[in-house]
Amino acid sequence: MVGIVNAQYNAHLWFVFVQPIAFGLILIGGLAETNRAPFDLPEAEQELTGGFHTEYSGMRFALFFLAEYANMIVISSVATTLFLGGWLRPFPHVAWLSLLDVIPSWGWFLIKSFAFLYLFIWVRATLPRYRYDQLMRLGWKVLIPLAIANLLVTGIVKVLLLY
């Protein structure tokens, strides 16, 4: 991970600008992995009469939610490291922005990670839940072909730049 952040520093560019499709796929995959809306099909709160929302109370329920939010923090931190320069301030090579150095590097990392957390919460509050057929169509007909095409284009561009 340190090497990825250093590569972004040496390239003078965050990888979100190099790989915007991969960044979008990571965001969508992160939402799905954390079981957040619109991807929380098995745990739809309003449709439950039983399940972990009513089965567990007190500390057990708190531990479920703590695990969900810990997963969101991990995915936000990984996305920050991979695509937004990790702990580096925005545009670290621009001299007139050196006044941004008053915020320590861990502060920049937290600011970027909290932006992802805000995005996760905002998406949950904004988007409606998918039906199962819509989710399968999105995954199999849109996201997987898009990821494969992105991988092929990235490989072709990398080979062309090396020769």
Side-chain angles (χ1 to χ4, degrees):
M1 295 290 207
V2 173
I4 293 172
V5 173
N6 289 335
Q8 293 178 65
Y9 179 77
N10 294 334
H12 302 261
L13 188 65
W14 285 351
F15 288 166
V16 68
F17 301 118
V18 177
Q19 282 287 339
I21 294 173
F23 179 69
L25 290 170
I26 289 288
L27 285 181
I28 293 170
L31 282 172
E33 177 62 29
T34 56
N35 292 327
R36 305 287 290 175
F39 302 108
D40 61 340
L41 299 179
E43 293 102 11
E45 297 96 351
Q46 66 269 21
E47 300 159 2
L48 289 177
T49 58
F52 80 87
H53 287 281
T54 56
E55 211 170 287
Y56 298 113
S57 64
M59 195 61 187
R60 290 181 188 158
F61 186 72
L63 289 175
F64 270 109
F65 264 71
L66 181 66
E68 279 188 21
Y69 281 97
N71 195 8
M72 286 173 46
I73 291 169
V74 167
I75 289 174
S76 298
S77 299
V78 169
T80 296
T81 304
L82 292 178
F83 292 103
L84 295 181
W87 56 85
L88 300 174
R89 69 171 169 87
F91 308 107
H93 295 289
V94 178
W96 63 272
L97 287 176
S98 63
L99 62 110
L100 294 176
D101 288 333
V102 298
I103 299 174
S105 59
W106 57 268
W108 283 114
F109 187 81
L110 288 177
I111 290 169
K112 294 172 190 178
S113 295
F114 284 142
F116 278 109
L117 290 173
Y118 176 79
L119 182 70
F120 281 161
I121 292 169
W122 179 54
V123 166
R124 180 179 179 99
T126 305
L127 294 179
R129 187 172 283 116
Y130 284 119
R131 294 187 324 251
Y132 282 105
D133 62 322
Q134 292 171 328
L135 183 63
M136 292 298 116
R137 186 177 306 113
L138 175 71
W140 287 101
K141 291 186 176 180
V142 177
L143 296 179
I144 290 177
L146 190 62
I148 292 171
N150 187 40
L151 182 68
L152 289 173
V153 168
T154 301
I156 290 169
V157 168
K158 184 73 172 174
V159 167
L160 290 176
L161 289 178
L162 287 177
Y163 295 112

